[in-house]
Amino acid sequence: MIARRPVMLAVVVAGLCASGCSTVGNGRMAQLDAVQAAALLVPGRTTQDEVRQALGQGTVIRFRSGRETWHYLYRKGIAPGWDDVPYIGLITSRLDRPTKELVILFDGAGVLRRWSMQEFRTAPSKGA
Amino acid sequence: MRIAPLVIALLCVPARPAPPAATPASEPAAQHVEVTAPLPTARDEKTLSQLLSAREAFDRHHALAPDATLAFRLYARLDPDDLARLHLFFVQGTQRTEVALDERQRFALAPEWTRADADRGASLQTNLPDGAVAWKVDIRSPGVPEDRRRLGDLRLECEADTFHGNLQRGLRTPFSAILDANDELCLLDDAEVWFAERPIFGVTLLSGERRRTLPYAYLHGSTGTMALAGLFDWPYALRDRAYFLPLEDRSWPDDTQVLFDAMDDPQPEPAP
Protein backbone atom coordinates (compact mmCIF):
# COMPACT_ATOMS: atom_id res chain seq x y z
CA MET A 1 0.00 0.00 0.00
CA ILE A 2 2.75 2.42 1.00
CA ALA A 3 4.75 1.54 -2.08
CA ARG A 4 1.80 2.47 -4.27
CA ARG A 5 1.58 6.02 -2.95
CA PRO A 6 4.39 7.53 -5.04
CA VAL A 7 2.95 5.89 -8.12
CA MET A 8 -0.53 7.23 -7.41
CA LEU A 9 0.88 10.67 -6.71
CA ALA A 10 2.76 10.63 -9.98
CA VAL A 11 -0.39 9.62 -11.83
CA VAL A 12 -2.38 12.44 -10.23
CA VAL A 13 0.32 15.02 -10.99
CA ALA A 14 0.66 13.80 -14.56
CA GLY A 15 -3.09 13.99 -15.00
CA LEU A 16 -3.27 17.51 -13.70
CA CYS A 17 -0.42 18.66 -15.87
CA ALA A 18 -1.44 16.87 -19.03
CA SER A 19 -4.61 18.82 -19.60
CA GLY A 20 -6.37 22.02 -18.71
CA CYS A 21 -5.12 25.55 -18.53
CA SER A 22 -4.15 28.18 -16.04
CA THR A 23 -5.77 31.56 -15.92
CA VAL A 24 -5.87 34.78 -13.95
CA GLY A 25 -9.40 36.13 -13.58
CA ASN A 26 -12.69 34.34 -14.00
CA GLY A 27 -11.73 32.29 -17.06
CA ARG A 28 -13.33 34.50 -19.68
CA MET A 29 -9.86 35.25 -21.02
CA ALA A 30 -9.96 31.85 -22.73
CA GLN A 31 -12.56 33.09 -25.23
CA LEU A 32 -11.88 36.83 -25.22
CA ASP A 33 -10.69 38.20 -28.56
CA ALA A 34 -9.64 41.71 -29.61
CA VAL A 35 -13.10 42.65 -30.91
CA GLN A 36 -14.79 41.64 -27.66
CA ALA A 37 -12.08 43.39 -25.66
CA ALA A 38 -12.54 46.62 -27.64
CA ALA A 39 -16.27 46.55 -26.91
CA LEU A 40 -15.73 45.82 -23.24
CA LEU A 41 -12.77 48.10 -22.50
CA VAL A 42 -13.45 51.74 -23.36
CA PRO A 43 -10.73 54.26 -22.41
CA GLY A 44 -12.03 57.12 -20.33
CA ARG A 45 -15.26 55.30 -19.46
CA THR A 46 -14.89 51.72 -18.23
CA THR A 47 -14.36 51.43 -14.47
CA GLN A 48 -12.55 48.91 -12.33
CA ASP A 49 -15.84 47.53 -11.03
CA GLU A 50 -17.04 46.88 -14.57
CA VAL A 51 -13.81 45.13 -15.49
CA ARG A 52 -13.91 43.05 -12.33
CA GLN A 53 -17.48 42.05 -13.08
CA ALA A 54 -16.62 41.02 -16.62
CA LEU A 55 -13.22 39.39 -16.22
CA GLY A 56 -12.74 38.80 -12.50
CA GLN A 57 -9.83 40.21 -10.54
CA GLY A 58 -6.54 40.54 -12.39
CA THR A 59 -3.11 40.73 -10.83
CA VAL A 60 -2.72 44.31 -9.63
CA ILE A 61 0.36 46.50 -9.61
CA ARG A 62 -0.04 49.91 -8.02
CA PHE A 63 2.28 52.78 -8.79
CA ARG A 64 3.28 55.82 -6.80
CA SER A 65 1.25 57.98 -9.21
CA GLY A 66 -1.97 56.23 -8.20
CA ARG A 67 -2.21 54.38 -11.50
CA GLU A 68 -2.70 50.62 -11.54
CA THR A 69 -2.21 47.84 -14.03
CA TRP A 70 -4.41 44.76 -13.99
CA HIS A 71 -2.87 41.75 -15.65
CA TYR A 72 -4.85 38.76 -16.95
CA LEU A 73 -3.20 35.64 -18.26
CA TYR A 74 -4.50 32.52 -19.94
CA ARG A 75 -2.07 29.67 -20.55
CA LYS A 76 -2.91 26.38 -22.15
CA GLY A 77 -1.53 23.03 -21.09
CA ILE A 78 -1.40 23.16 -17.30
CA ALA A 79 -4.30 22.96 -14.90
CA PRO A 80 -5.03 26.04 -12.78
CA GLY A 81 -2.82 26.71 -9.78
CA TRP A 82 0.26 24.73 -10.69
CA ASP A 83 2.24 27.79 -11.69
CA ASP A 84 1.74 29.10 -8.17
CA VAL A 85 2.89 25.97 -6.32
CA PRO A 86 6.36 26.49 -4.84
CA TYR A 87 9.11 24.64 -6.74
CA ILE A 88 6.62 22.96 -9.10
CA GLY A 89 5.71 26.38 -10.44
CA LEU A 90 9.36 27.01 -11.24
CA ILE A 91 9.08 24.16 -13.75
CA THR A 92 5.55 24.62 -15.08
CA SER A 93 5.92 28.37 -15.57
CA ARG A 94 8.89 27.76 -17.85
CA LEU A 95 7.19 25.28 -20.14
CA ASP A 96 6.73 26.54 -23.67
CA ARG A 97 2.93 27.01 -23.75
CA PRO A 98 0.55 29.16 -25.82
CA THR A 99 -0.26 32.21 -23.74
CA LYS A 100 -2.75 35.03 -24.07
CA GLU A 101 -2.45 38.10 -21.88
CA LEU A 102 -4.44 41.24 -21.31
CA VAL A 103 -3.03 44.28 -19.51
CA ILE A 104 -5.28 47.14 -18.44
CA LEU A 105 -4.12 50.53 -17.18
CA PHE A 106 -6.33 52.48 -14.78
CA ASP A 107 -5.79 56.05 -13.66
CA GLY A 108 -5.87 57.14 -10.03
CA ALA A 109 -9.65 57.48 -10.16
CA GLY A 110 -10.11 53.88 -11.22
CA VAL A 111 -11.04 54.66 -14.82
CA LEU A 112 -9.56 52.65 -17.66
CA ARG A 113 -7.00 54.54 -19.76
CA ARG A 114 -5.26 51.90 -21.88
CA TRP A 115 -5.41 48.19 -22.60
CA SER A 116 -3.39 45.77 -24.67
CA MET A 117 -3.87 42.13 -25.53
CA GLN A 118 -1.49 39.77 -27.22
CA GLU A 119 -0.88 36.08 -27.72
CA PHE A 120 2.55 34.45 -27.65
CA ARG A 121 4.30 31.28 -26.68
CA THR A 122 5.91 31.54 -23.28
CA ALA A 123 9.57 32.36 -23.61
CA PRO A 124 11.25 30.49 -20.77
CA SER A 125 13.63 32.62 -18.77
CA LYS A 126 16.46 30.97 -16.89
CA GLY A 127 16.92 33.82 -14.45
CA ALA A 128 19.97 34.80 -12.49
CA MET B 1 29.67 57.16 8.71
CA ARG B 2 31.09 59.97 6.65
CA ILE B 3 31.57 63.35 8.21
CA ALA B 4 30.84 66.21 5.90
CA PRO B 5 30.72 69.87 6.74
CA LEU B 6 27.42 71.45 7.42
CA VAL B 7 27.91 75.17 6.96
CA ILE B 8 25.52 77.70 8.31
CA ALA B 9 26.22 81.26 7.36
CA LEU B 10 24.85 83.71 9.82
CA LEU B 11 24.97 87.28 8.70
CA CYS B 12 24.44 90.38 10.73
CA VAL B 13 25.10 88.73 14.06
CA PRO B 14 25.91 91.35 16.68
CA ALA B 15 29.50 91.13 17.84
CA ARG B 16 28.52 92.62 21.16
CA PRO B 17 25.31 93.69 22.90
CA ALA B 18 23.50 96.52 21.15
CA PRO B 19 24.55 99.88 22.46
CA PRO B 20 22.17 101.95 24.58
CA ALA B 21 19.71 103.97 22.58
CA ALA B 22 21.30 107.15 23.80
CA THR B 23 24.61 106.40 22.14
CA PRO B 24 25.14 107.26 18.50
CA ALA B 25 23.78 104.60 16.23
CA SER B 26 26.47 102.36 14.75
CA GLU B 27 25.81 99.10 12.83
CA PRO B 28 27.52 96.09 14.34
CA ALA B 29 30.09 94.49 12.06
CA ALA B 30 28.75 91.52 10.06
CA GLN B 31 30.23 88.16 10.98
CA HIS B 32 30.40 84.88 9.10
CA VAL B 33 30.04 81.92 11.43
CA GLU B 34 30.67 78.37 10.30
CA VAL B 35 29.30 75.46 12.27
CA THR B 36 30.51 72.00 11.32
CA ALA B 37 28.55 68.93 12.36
CA PRO B 38 28.43 65.29 11.32
CA LEU B 39 25.65 64.41 8.89
CA PRO B 40 22.91 62.31 10.49
CA THR B 41 23.07 59.60 7.82
CA ALA B 42 25.46 58.22 5.26
CA ARG B 43 25.31 59.80 1.81
CA ASP B 44 24.49 57.87 -1.33
CA GLU B 45 27.79 57.30 -3.09
CA LYS B 46 29.83 55.02 -5.32
CA THR B 47 33.56 54.55 -5.17
CA LEU B 48 35.67 55.81 -8.02
CA SER B 49 36.98 52.26 -8.24
CA GLN B 50 33.47 51.02 -9.14
CA LEU B 51 33.09 53.61 -11.89
CA LEU B 52 36.54 52.87 -13.32
CA SER B 53 35.69 49.15 -13.32
CA ALA B 54 32.54 49.98 -15.28
CA ARG B 55 34.69 51.85 -17.80
CA GLU B 56 37.03 48.88 -18.12
CA ALA B 57 34.07 46.60 -18.84
CA PHE B 58 32.76 49.20 -21.29
CA ASP B 59 36.10 49.11 -23.13
CA ARG B 60 36.16 45.30 -23.08
CA HIS B 61 32.66 44.97 -24.61
CA HIS B 62 32.77 48.10 -26.76
CA ALA B 63 31.98 46.05 -29.90
CA LEU B 64 28.33 46.01 -28.77
CA ALA B 65 28.19 49.76 -29.42
CA PRO B 66 31.35 50.83 -31.24
CA ASP B 67 30.38 54.51 -31.60
CA ALA B 68 28.87 54.94 -28.17
CA THR B 69 30.12 57.04 -25.31
CA LEU B 70 30.04 56.20 -21.62
CA ALA B 71 28.32 58.24 -18.95
CA PHE B 72 26.67 57.61 -15.60
CA ARG B 73 23.18 58.66 -14.67
CA LEU B 74 21.49 59.24 -11.34
CA TYR B 75 17.80 58.47 -10.79
CA ALA B 76 15.66 59.21 -7.77
CA ARG B 77 14.80 55.79 -6.36
CA LEU B 78 12.23 56.77 -3.76
CA ASP B 79 11.12 60.37 -4.25
CA PRO B 80 11.08 62.09 -7.67
CA ASP B 81 11.46 65.46 -5.95
CA ASP B 82 14.96 64.42 -4.93
CA LEU B 83 16.17 65.25 -8.44
CA ALA B 84 15.58 68.95 -7.82
CA ARG B 85 17.91 68.95 -4.81
CA LEU B 86 20.47 66.49 -6.11
CA HIS B 87 24.14 67.45 -6.20
CA LEU B 88 27.17 65.29 -6.86
CA PHE B 89 30.66 65.69 -5.49
CA PHE B 90 34.05 64.14 -6.17
CA VAL B 91 35.44 63.38 -2.72
CA GLN B 92 39.04 62.61 -1.97
CA GLY B 93 40.20 62.87 1.62
CA THR B 94 38.96 66.21 2.86
CA GLN B 95 38.68 67.67 -0.64
CA ARG B 96 35.19 67.92 -2.09
CA THR B 97 34.54 69.21 -5.59
CA GLU B 98 31.11 69.53 -7.16
CA VAL B 99 30.57 67.52 -10.35
CA ALA B 100 28.31 69.05 -12.97
CA LEU B 101 25.25 67.02 -13.96
CA ASP B 102 23.44 67.56 -17.26
CA GLU B 103 19.69 67.95 -17.66
CA ARG B 104 19.25 64.19 -17.25
CA GLN B 105 21.45 63.99 -14.17
CA ARG B 106 24.32 62.45 -16.13
CA PHE B 107 28.04 62.89 -15.74
CA ALA B 108 31.14 61.48 -17.40
CA LEU B 109 34.38 60.32 -15.83
CA ALA B 110 36.84 63.20 -15.73
CA PRO B 111 40.22 62.46 -17.34
CA GLU B 112 42.02 63.43 -14.15
CA TRP B 113 40.23 60.78 -12.07
CA THR B 114 42.78 57.99 -12.01
CA ARG B 115 43.12 54.50 -10.61
CA ALA B 116 45.63 55.95 -8.15
CA ASP B 117 42.87 58.26 -6.87
CA ALA B 118 40.60 55.25 -6.59
CA ASP B 119 43.23 53.36 -4.61
CA ARG B 120 43.40 56.29 -2.22
CA GLY B 121 39.65 55.96 -1.59
CA ALA B 122 38.19 58.61 -3.87
CA SER B 123 34.44 58.46 -4.33
CA LEU B 124 31.53 60.16 -6.05
CA GLN B 125 29.12 61.26 -3.36
CA THR B 126 25.68 62.80 -3.57
CA ASN B 127 24.11 65.12 -1.04
CA LEU B 128 21.20 62.68 -0.58
CA PRO B 129 20.89 59.89 2.00
CA ASP B 130 22.05 56.39 1.20
CA GLY B 131 19.37 54.58 -0.79
CA ALA B 132 17.86 57.68 -2.38
CA VAL B 133 19.67 57.32 -5.69
CA ALA B 134 19.79 54.64 -8.39
CA TRP B 135 23.09 54.77 -10.25
CA LYS B 136 23.04 53.55 -13.83
CA VAL B 137 25.55 53.25 -16.60
CA ASP B 138 24.30 55.35 -19.52
CA ILE B 139 25.62 54.43 -22.96
CA ARG B 140 24.33 56.15 -26.09
CA SER B 141 25.24 55.62 -29.72
CA PRO B 142 24.89 58.72 -31.88
CA GLY B 143 21.87 59.01 -34.14
CA VAL B 144 19.38 57.14 -31.95
CA PRO B 145 16.14 59.14 -31.53
CA GLU B 146 15.50 60.46 -28.03
CA ASP B 147 12.42 58.29 -27.54
CA ARG B 148 14.19 55.06 -28.50
CA ARG B 149 17.13 53.03 -27.32
CA ARG B 150 19.53 50.81 -29.23
CA LEU B 151 19.66 47.22 -27.97
CA GLY B 152 23.46 47.03 -28.25
CA ASP B 153 23.78 50.13 -26.06
CA LEU B 154 21.59 48.51 -23.42
CA ARG B 155 23.49 45.22 -23.60
CA LEU B 156 26.70 47.15 -23.08
CA GLU B 157 25.16 48.98 -20.11
CA CYS B 158 24.47 45.60 -18.56
CA GLU B 159 28.03 44.43 -19.16
CA ALA B 160 29.49 47.61 -17.67
CA ASP B 161 27.20 47.63 -14.66
CA THR B 162 26.62 44.11 -13.54
CA PHE B 163 29.47 42.96 -11.32
CA HIS B 164 31.89 45.39 -12.96
CA GLY B 165 30.67 48.82 -12.02
CA ASN B 166 28.37 46.91 -9.68
CA LEU B 167 26.17 49.96 -9.44
CA GLN B 168 22.89 48.14 -8.88
CA ARG B 169 22.06 47.92 -5.22
CA GLY B 170 21.34 44.79 -3.27
CA LEU B 171 22.43 41.20 -3.00
CA ARG B 172 24.21 39.17 -5.63
CA THR B 173 23.34 35.51 -5.85
CA PRO B 174 26.16 32.94 -6.00
CA PHE B 175 24.66 31.69 -9.28
CA SER B 176 24.97 35.12 -10.83
CA ALA B 177 28.57 35.38 -9.60
CA ILE B 178 29.41 32.12 -11.37
CA LEU B 179 27.78 33.32 -14.57
CA ASP B 180 29.56 36.62 -14.34
CA ALA B 181 32.92 34.87 -14.01
CA ASN B 182 32.21 33.39 -17.45
CA ASP B 183 30.95 36.71 -18.86
CA GLU B 184 27.50 35.13 -19.27
CA LEU B 185 25.45 37.08 -16.76
CA CYS B 186 24.13 39.54 -19.33
CA LEU B 187 22.73 36.64 -21.33
CA LEU B 188 19.94 36.30 -18.76
CA ASP B 189 16.69 38.22 -18.99
CA ASP B 190 16.69 39.38 -15.40
CA ALA B 191 20.34 40.44 -15.20
CA GLU B 192 19.62 44.15 -15.43
CA VAL B 193 16.68 46.49 -14.98
CA TRP B 194 16.40 49.66 -17.09
CA PHE B 195 14.30 52.79 -16.67
CA ALA B 196 12.51 54.55 -19.53
CA GLU B 197 12.23 58.33 -19.67
CA ARG B 198 8.50 58.21 -18.92
CA PRO B 199 6.04 55.74 -17.36
CA ILE B 200 5.61 52.93 -19.88
CA PHE B 201 2.79 50.63 -20.87
CA GLY B 202 4.70 48.58 -23.43
CA VAL B 203 8.12 47.87 -24.90
CA THR B 204 8.65 46.67 -28.47
CA LEU B 205 11.77 45.41 -30.23
CA LEU B 206 12.08 46.39 -33.88
CA SER B 207 14.66 45.12 -36.35
CA GLY B 208 13.76 45.62 -40.00
CA GLU B 209 10.48 43.80 -40.54
CA ARG B 210 10.85 41.80 -37.35
CA ARG B 211 8.87 43.11 -34.42
CA ARG B 212 8.14 41.78 -30.93
CA THR B 213 6.09 43.41 -28.21
CA LEU B 214 7.46 42.10 -24.93
CA PRO B 215 5.12 40.23 -22.59
CA TYR B 216 4.08 42.11 -19.49
CA ALA B 217 6.49 39.99 -17.46
CA TYR B 218 9.25 42.28 -18.76
CA LEU B 219 7.59 45.42 -17.41
CA HIS B 220 7.29 46.94 -13.96
CA GLY B 221 8.96 43.96 -12.22
CA SER B 222 5.57 42.34 -12.54
CA THR B 223 6.05 38.57 -12.50
CA GLY B 224 8.49 35.69 -12.39
CA THR B 225 12.17 35.99 -11.65
CA MET B 226 12.09 39.59 -12.84
CA ALA B 227 9.74 40.37 -9.98
CA LEU B 228 12.26 38.74 -7.65
CA ALA B 229 14.96 40.90 -9.20
CA GLY B 230 13.12 43.82 -7.66
CA LEU B 231 14.30 42.55 -4.31
CA PHE B 232 17.84 43.32 -5.36
CA ASP B 233 17.22 46.93 -6.32
CA TRP B 234 13.69 48.07 -5.78
CA PRO B 235 13.42 51.69 -6.91
CA TYR B 236 9.79 52.27 -5.98
CA ALA B 237 9.56 55.72 -7.58
CA LEU B 238 10.79 54.24 -10.86
CA ARG B 239 8.60 51.17 -11.01
CA ASP B 240 6.30 52.52 -13.72
CA ARG B 241 9.39 53.16 -15.88
CA ALA B 242 11.12 49.84 -15.20
CA TYR B 243 11.67 47.20 -17.86
CA PHE B 244 13.78 44.17 -18.55
CA LEU B 245 14.93 42.88 -21.93
CA PRO B 246 15.06 39.41 -23.48
CA LEU B 247 18.82 39.21 -23.15
CA GLU B 248 18.66 35.43 -23.49
CA ASP B 249 17.55 35.80 -27.10
CA ARG B 250 20.73 36.67 -28.96
CA SER B 251 18.98 36.51 -32.32
CA TRP B 252 18.16 40.22 -32.03
CA PRO B 253 21.03 42.23 -33.54
CA ASP B 254 22.70 45.01 -31.57
CA ASP B 255 21.17 47.60 -33.91
CA THR B 256 17.66 46.55 -32.84
CA GLN B 257 15.54 49.53 -31.83
CA VAL B 258 13.79 49.47 -28.46
CA LEU B 259 10.50 51.39 -28.68
CA PHE B 260 8.46 52.59 -25.74
CA ASP B 261 4.69 52.85 -25.50
CA ALA B 262 4.07 55.50 -22.85
CA MET B 263 1.23 55.27 -20.35
CA ASP B 264 0.16 58.75 -21.45
CA ASP B 265 -0.03 57.81 -25.13
CA PRO B 266 -3.57 57.36 -26.50
CA GLN B 267 -5.10 53.94 -26.98
CA PRO B 268 -4.08 52.76 -30.48
CA GLU B 269 -6.82 52.19 -33.01
CA PRO B 270 -7.60 48.47 -33.44
CA ALA B 271 -5.96 46.84 -36.45
CA PRO B 272 -8.41 46.52 -39.42
Side-chain angles (χ1 to χ4, degrees):
Chain A
M1 185 67 183
I2 292 174
R4 282 184 182 174
R5 280 185 180 167
V7 176
M8 290 176 66
L9 182 63
V11 168
V12 170
V13 170
L16 287 168
C17 293
S19 62
C21 63
S22 61
T23 186
V24 175
N26 62 11
R28 188 174 166 189
M29 271 293 290
Q31 283 81 40
L32 193 72
D33 60 26
V35 174
Q36 293 171 326
L40 177 68
L41 307 170
V42 182
R45 203 175 73 197
T46 306
T47 65
Q48 290 181 341
D49 284 344
E50 290 168 334
V51 172
R52 191 181 292 110
Q53 202 167 22
L55 301 175
Q57 182 63 59
T59 304
V60 180
I61 292 183
R62 293 185 180 88
F63 301 106
R64 197 176 186 278
S65 62
R67 290 163 160 161
E68 293 182 3
T69 57
W70 288 18
H71 183 221
Y72 295 87
L73 201 65
Y74 169 75
R75 304 180 71 196
K76 293 178 183 170
I78 301 288
W82 283 105
D83 288 346
D84 301 320
V85 176
Y87 303 108
I88 291 176
L90 289 174
I91 299 168
T92 60
S93 63
R94 293 178 183 190
L95 297 176
D96 186 9
R97 296 146 57 187
T99 302
K100 177 164 59 175
E101 75 172 4
L102 170 68
V103 188
I104 300 172
L105 174 69
F106 292 101
D107 62 20
V111 177
L112 185 148
R113 290 295 158 195
R114 297 283 307 273
W115 63 271
S116 69
M117 190 163 74
Q118 69 166 332
E119 296 186 45
F120 53 88
R121 295 190 74 85
T122 305
S125 172
K126 293 189 281 290
Chain B
M1 179 185 295
R2 281 189 177 276
I3 308 298
L6 175 64
V7 179
I8 302 173
L10 300 174
L11 299 175
C12 302
V13 176
R16 58 183 189 276
T23 59
S26 63
E27 290 296 323
Q31 277 196 336
H32 184 90
V33 179
E34 288 191 1
V35 179
T36 301
L39 291 166
T41 59
R43 295 307 189 194
D44 206 311
E45 66 176 2
K46 297 294 177 189
T47 65
L48 177 60
S49 179
Q50 285 175 280
L51 304 188
L52 293 178
S53 296
R55 184 172 67 187
E56 288 160 9
F58 170 81
D59 291 339
R60 208 162 48 246
H61 296 274
H62 207 171
L64 291 166
D67 301 323
T69 52
L70 169 69
F72 297 90
R73 183 168 177 178
L74 308 180
Y75 295 83
R77 291 180 75 242
L78 307 175
D79 181 358
D81 293 340
D82 278 344
L83 289 186
R85 46 182 171 260
L86 172 64
H87 293 277
L88 181 69
F89 301 91
F90 178 76
V91 178
Q92 188 168 36
T94 56
Q95 300 296 313
R96 196 161 173 261
T97 311
E98 180 146 17
V99 177
L101 299 171
D102 72 6
E103 71 281 359
R104 288 185 174 170
Q105 291 74 44
R106 289 181 298 195
F107 68 97
L109 290 173
E112 63 268 25
W113 297 346
T114 64
R115 181 56 73 176
D117 293 329
D119 293 342
R120 284 193 290 270
S123 65
L124 277 297
Q125 188 183 82
T126 74
N127 61 326
L128 298 176
D130 186 36
V133 177
W135 298 65
K136 293 285 291 178
V137 175
D138 193 90
I139 293 171
R140 309 257 173 179
S141 289
V144 179
E146 285 291 299
D147 59 344
R148 298 183 177 193
R149 295 301 310 271
R150 179 181 173 275
L151 183 58
D153 294 1
L154 299 173
R155 283 173 171 157
L156 184 49
E157 286 181 9
C158 179
E159 294 290 355
D161 182 0
T162 309
F163 272 94
H164 302 293
N166 199 12
L167 303 183
Q168 261 190 144
R169 301 175 63 86
L171 300 170
R172 304 284 169 166
T173 65
F175 180 52
S176 62
I178 293 168
L179 289 171
D180 182 67
N182 295 318
D183 253 352
E184 292 177 350
L185 187 55
C186 288
L187 301 181
L188 294 177
D189 287 0
D190 58 1
E192 183 86 0
V193 62
W194 286 272
F195 308 119
E197 297 299 329
R198 296 187 292 161
I200 49 173
F201 189 57
V203 174
T204 299
L205 302 186
L206 178 65
S207 175
E209 296 297 309
R210 187 180 177 201
R211 188 181 188 94
R212 182 191 179 199
T213 297
L214 299 183
Y216 190 62
Y218 287 89
L219 268 65
H220 306 150
S222 55
T223 59
T225 56
M226 285 172 274
L228 291 176
L231 298 174
F232 297 88
D233 183 4
W234 196 231
Y236 186 62
L238 296 166
R239 189 173 191 181
D240 54 7
R241 296 162 57 182
Y243 64 98
F244 292 83
L245 289 167
L247 300 175
E248 293 166 19
D249 185 354
R250 299 301 289 184
S251 67
W252 290 94
D254 290 331
D255 281 330
T256 298
Q257 300 283 299
V258 181
L259 283 58
F260 303 99
D261 181 14
M263 283 186 176
D264 291 325
D265 288 346
Q267 176 74 27
E269 293 294 323

